[in-house]
Amino acid sequence: MAREECKALLDALNKTTACYHHLVLTVGGSADTQDLREELQKTRQKARELAVATGARLTVALRDRGLATEERAEFERLWVAFSGCLDLLEADMQRSLTLGAAFPLHAPRRPLVRTGVAGGSSAVAARALSARSLRHEAEGDFDVADLPELEREVLQVGKMIDDMEMKVNVPRWSVQARQAAGAELLSGASAGASSAGGISVQERPGPCDPSKALAATVFSAVLLVAVALALCVAKLS
């Protein structure tokens, strides 16, 4: 039960962190708006809440000395994935802080990247926050006022990572994966093929079929000989 709960929390954290990473890439670009800055704040707060809950449950499970070997190995894999999410979250928060300070919204500036993209990205953040829409009610200088809070939260996430390593000693290099690298991509492709309604697809020979290549070569040689003979006959006549 605890393992399934940790997996659900980690899955939600992974999606929210990915959403935050997507939003941070837009800061300083042509689609950067106050709505984006508000979405960034709400998404990172949601990610931090999930990180605190996930870390607490994983810590309790891994400090249980009566945990079975297989269960411990599974929790250690979840712990490594959780650590990766926190590292990515901290890096993206630092990137957001740097770009937000370099490109304030209410100041004459040029976009950092002219992507050609316009409009909001509320739908992406709303999916991560499990909300239908986001309401933007901040003041005009919201982006500037949010920078000190963002700086404090970056330090808090860094402290959280340090505390994790002190409470639970799980070296990342000691955890073995259950499947080979890229196996989830292959399994996803096979699942997609099997869900195509049972339609059988007959394999077709590729464009580099040896028999076809040989036939084409012979035909080309015969054609060249015929053209050469025709030219010789025309000259003699």
Side-chain angles (χ1 to χ4, degrees):
M1 186 66 179
R3 184 174 63 179
E4 298 301 324
E5 184 180 3
C6 290
K7 284 184 177 180
L9 286 172
L10 184 58
D11 182 63
L13 175 62
N14 189 26
K15 291 179 180 179
T16 307
T17 303
C19 171
Y20 187 75
H21 178 76
H22 171 79
L23 295 175
V24 169
L25 296 178
T26 318
V27 177
S30 56
D32 190 5
T33 60
Q34 181 167 316
D35 290 348
L36 173 69
R37 303 297 177 94
E38 295 177 39
E39 291 164 10
L40 279 167
Q41 184 198 50
K42 295 179 181 180
T43 306
R44 77 169 188 262
Q45 289 177 350
K46 179 66 174 180
R48 290 182 62 245
E49 293 174 0
L50 289 170
V52 171
T54 306
R57 284 163 175 77
L58 286 175
T59 301
V60 172
L62 288 171
R63 298 182 73 177
D64 183 7
R65 297 184 180 277
L67 198 63
T69 304
E70 294 182 358
E71 286 287 322
R72 178 170 295 278
E74 181 63 26
F75 276 112
E76 287 180 351
R77 281 189 284 266
L78 295 177
W79 182 266
V80 170
F82 172 60
S83 301
C85 284
L86 278 189
D87 290 341
L88 179 61
L89 178 62
E90 182 187 25
D92 284 333
M93 290 174 66
Q94 291 177 343
R95 183 179 295 110
S96 177
L97 177 62
T98 302
L99 292 175
F103 295 91
L105 291 176
H106 304 284
R109 65 181 180 88
R110 289 180 178 271
L112 176 63
V113 179
R114 294 185 177 274
T115 60
V117 178
S121 48
S122 301
V124 177
R127 287 197 298 270
L129 301 176
S130 301
R132 292 185 178 180
S133 62
L134 293 174
R135 301 175 58 186
H136 310 291
E137 302 174 349
E139 300 177 355
D141 58 347
F142 167 81
D143 59 311
V144 178
D146 184 55
L147 291 178
E149 181 180 356
L150 175 56
E151 187 174 4
R152 287 193 297 269
E153 292 180 4
V154 170
L155 296 176
Q156 291 173 359
V157 172
K159 187 176 183 300
M160 184 187 304
I161 296 175
D162 294 337
D163 291 342
M164 283 171 40
E165 296 177 352
M166 294 294 295
K167 292 179 180 178
V168 179
N169 183 21
V170 181
R172 300 187 185 186
W173 58 87
S174 66
V175 178
Q176 297 181 356
R178 291 183 302 175
Q179 55 189 6
E184 66 277 5
L185 301 178
L186 297 176
S187 62
S190 61
S194 62
S195 61
I199 302 176
S200 61
V201 180
Q202 183 178 3
E203 294 185 358
R204 298 179 180 179
C208 297
D209 189 357
S211 59
K212 291 185 177 181
L214 179 60
T217 303
V218 173
F219 177 77
S220 300
V222 172
L223 182 61
L224 289 175
V225 172
V227 171
L229 291 175
L231 291 176
C232 291
V233 171
K235 288 181 179 180
L236 293 175
S237 62

